[in-house]
Amino acid sequence: MMDPRKTALIVLLMLGLVFPAMACLDNATEVIMGPDYGLGGLIGLVIALTIMIIATTYAIGSITSNAHFTVFAKDEMYHLFFSIIILIGMTGIVGTSCFVIDFFNTSVFDALSSEGSLQSHCYNSGTTMQGVASCYAATAQSDAQRIAKIYIQQYIDNLMDSTFSWSLQLPVMNSYTSTADSYKRIVSNQYDIILNQFLIPALLSISMQKIGLDFIKENVVQWFLPTAFLLRIFIPTRQMGNMLIALSLGLYIIVPFLYVFNFAMYDALLSKSDCAEFK
């Protein structure tokens, strides 16, 4: 009899499949099961390798009457079946994340749009949680770059104006020199402090986070999951494979989820007039 905890896990993993009408479900299914990353890619090769190992060890066990090979083949067959269930369940979880994004867009941004607030350009009917997180990171990076350029230009302009001077020379008398805009050096220093202590570190942080989100979006399913299923083939590394599957799930779903709901404040709180102050 299957462990009730495993039964509950399977049910939880497949809950997302009850939302087949979601716009981005096709994209979510293609990520896990499609030809580029899923069953047509490295995951399919790992499953095919597992089937070959099962067939080979079972044949060796049957020919040599060695129970160890036969038990190993049956154990691998059970874990292969469970791995396929996990793979299908992850598709359901990705589909559920699509439902969450669609619900958040409908319940929050449609309401804000009807009230005249700024509507998010990162949400659409076919987006995924990873796509929204990457879009928000790109938007924040673009805004940080734009503001940094403005502050650099202000720093240079004020520094150059502070060096402007004029001289008055009277016959028989001394000459007089005045730097009327010397006070702008203080303004220039303020721009320099804000730029170096706040804007540049923020820009570097956002850029690194965007690189991380893009890496998660493009590589977790393509490389982490196949490696996890490959490790599940062998008994000594099976727990490591399970841990890698959990890590892949957390990176691919939970991390973008946190970024989406944090970056949403960009649209929920800032208005066009707020952004215009930095232009």
Side-chain angles (χ1 to χ4, degrees):
M1 183 176 179
M2 183 177 290
D3 190 342
R5 291 176 298 178
K6 292 184 177 180
T7 304
L9 176 61
I10 293 174
V11 173
L12 179 63
L13 289 173
M14 301 187 70
L15 278 178
L17 297 179
V18 302
F19 304 108
M22 291 180 295
C24 75
L25 186 60
D26 292 337
N27 294 333
T29 305
E30 184 177 348
V31 168
I32 305 296
M33 311 289 286
D36 296 328
Y37 306 117
L39 293 181
L42 294 178
I43 295 178
L45 292 177
V46 172
I47 292 176
L49 176 62
T50 307
I51 294 174
M52 291 177 59
I53 293 175
I54 292 173
T56 302
T57 54
Y58 188 80
I60 294 174
S62 299
I63 294 173
T64 61
S65 299
N66 191 326
H68 292 87
F69 287 99
T70 305
V71 171
F72 175 78
K74 292 181 179 180
D75 181 69
E76 287 298 324
M77 189 179 301
Y78 166 77
H79 284 285
L80 174 62
F81 172 76
F82 194 73
S83 296
I84 294 175
I85 293 297
I86 292 175
L87 183 63
I88 297 174
M90 287 195 66
T91 303
I93 290 179
V94 176
T96 303
S97 71
C98 295
F99 170 77
V100 172
I101 287 297
D102 185 65
F103 174 78
F104 189 74
N105 182 29
T106 303
S107 61
V108 177
F109 287 100
D110 285 355
L112 290 176
S113 178
S114 63
E115 295 174 2
S117 300
L118 182 66
Q119 188 175 15
S120 174
H121 68 282
C122 289
Y123 288 87
N124 56 64
S125 59
T127 191
T128 61
M129 190 169 297
Q130 297 75 28
V132 174
S134 182
C135 174
Y136 270 131
T139 302
Q141 183 184 40
S142 177
D143 289 344
Q145 290 175 343
R146 176 175 55 82
I147 296 173
K149 289 180 180 179
I150 293 174
Y151 272 63
I152 290 173
Q153 188 62 51
Q154 289 294 327
Y155 164 74
I156 295 174
D157 290 343
N158 282 277
L159 184 62
M160 294 180 63
D161 290 343
S162 67
T163 61
F164 174 78
S165 62
W166 56 272
S167 298
L168 177 63
Q169 186 171 8
L170 300 175
V172 187
M173 301 182 67
N174 293 329
S175 60
Y176 298 91
T177 302
S178 175
T179 54
D181 292 336
S182 58
Y183 71 94
K184 289 188 177 181
R185 181 176 292 273
I186 299 176
V187 179
S188 175
N189 291 336
Q190 296 301 314
Y191 277 108
D192 184 49
I193 292 173
I194 295 174
L195 187 66
N196 291 318
Q197 293 190 4
F198 298 100
L199 289 180
I200 296 301
L203 177 58
L204 290 176
S205 175
I206 293 172
S207 299
M208 293 301 297
Q209 292 177 66
K210 183 179 183 301
I211 292 173
L213 288 172
D214 291 339
F215 176 84
I216 290 172
K217 180 181 177 182
E218 300 294 335
N219 294 284
V220 167
V221 174
Q222 186 176 6
W223 300 106
F224 280 35
L225 275 184
T227 303
F229 287 117
L230 181 63
L231 292 174
R232 278 182 54 82
I233 296 176
F234 309 103
I235 296 175
T237 59
R238 187 163 292 155
Q239 292 300 323
M240 187 181 298
N242 295 336
M243 183 181 66
L244 195 56
I245 290 176
L247 178 63
S248 301
L249 185 63
L251 288 176
Y252 197 73
I253 301 296
I254 304 301
V255 172
F257 174 85
L258 296 176
Y259 274 92
V260 164
F261 286 91
N262 278 282
F263 275 132
M265 295 301 101
Y266 245 76
D267 298 319
L269 298 181
L270 294 178
S271 63
K272 291 183 178 179
S273 59
D274 296 325
C275 296
E277 295 180 2
F278 295 99
K279 293 183 179 179

